[in-house]
Amino acid sequence: MRARRTRLVAALAASVALVLSACGGGGGEDQLSGPSVDVEVDQDAQFEPGTTMAELNQRGTIRIGTKYDQPLFGVRGLDGQMQGFDVEIGRIIAGKLGIPPDRIQWVETPSQTREEVLEQDKVDMVIATYTINDNRKQRISFAGPYYEAGQDLMVKADDNTITGPESLRPTGAKVCSVTGSTPAEEIKKYVDPANLVLFDVYSKCADALRTGQVQAVTTDNVILLGLAEQSGGQFKLVEKPFTEEPYGIGIKKGDVQFCEFINQTLTEAAQSGKYEQAWRATAGKVAQQTPQLPQLDPCV
Ligand code: GLU
């Protein structure tokens, strides 16, 4: 039973972050970083012994795999600060575990490595524009979904020949995507293998589009929106999404209690307005519509 429930607003935790980094916290590829929106930290969180929640709460830190080069969802600034909707969702979940934002250990997790970092226990969860699908569920489990995206195309702003996936073959366009992503698989229906260029991260696809090595980049619309925004008007979206990409939070396969805890946290964040606040502070600065938390999948 919970006797008292103290809540600490993360501004306080941010000052701790400075002290910690001065003491040499972080290092290597992993980053500890402070918050950008108010996150409530449940100082008196208590969990059933033996659960992942109890273990993380006891440890006082959590390792979260995310993207470092996807504006609006997961980006690491030159100052080491993490930003984006995925990052804010991670901070909300960590807060519920009693872990302040500056005690989150961010781990760069490109698309292809997402299942393996969970299987190899290199992270505690993956929040990385990660589509829930049956293939992936054979290796890991998902909480959520917390957002629904759709695959789209991004082209140069003055390109009027590529108007959707069907126009890729007739125009002989080269298309770039990322290894281990659902869009890279889906686009094979529309382009010949010789015209598909695959990198490990989407920022390399944006570079290839800029230099004319490819004529289109394909992935989820919200990722492309961030890259188009970053291009300062050089790129545009075709704006004809042709798949559904429900974003889940990857966890170790079969951890039903952790999945239920995350889903409960997402539901509460939607009710309290934290979900919307997280969106507005990140993707909502560019995306037109504020989403509602989608219907959550049952945990199995
Ligand atoms: N949502 C898609 C996926 O999980 C594309 C985005 C990404 O590669 O992170 O594969």
Side-chain angles (χ1 to χ4, degrees), residues 213-234:
Q213 289 166 287
V214 300
Q215 284 69 51
V217 178
T218 191
T219 186
D220 303 338
N221 46 5
V222 280
I223 300 173
L224 297 174
L225 195 63
L227 294 170
E229 170 76 6
Q230 203 177 43
S231 78
Q234 284 188 68

Side-chain angles (χ1 to χ4, degrees), residues 30-43:
D30 306 344
Q31 294 296 322
L32 297 168
S33 74
S36 63
V37 294
D38 280 357
V39 174
E40 287 174 354
V41 181
D42 193 343
Q43 296 291 75

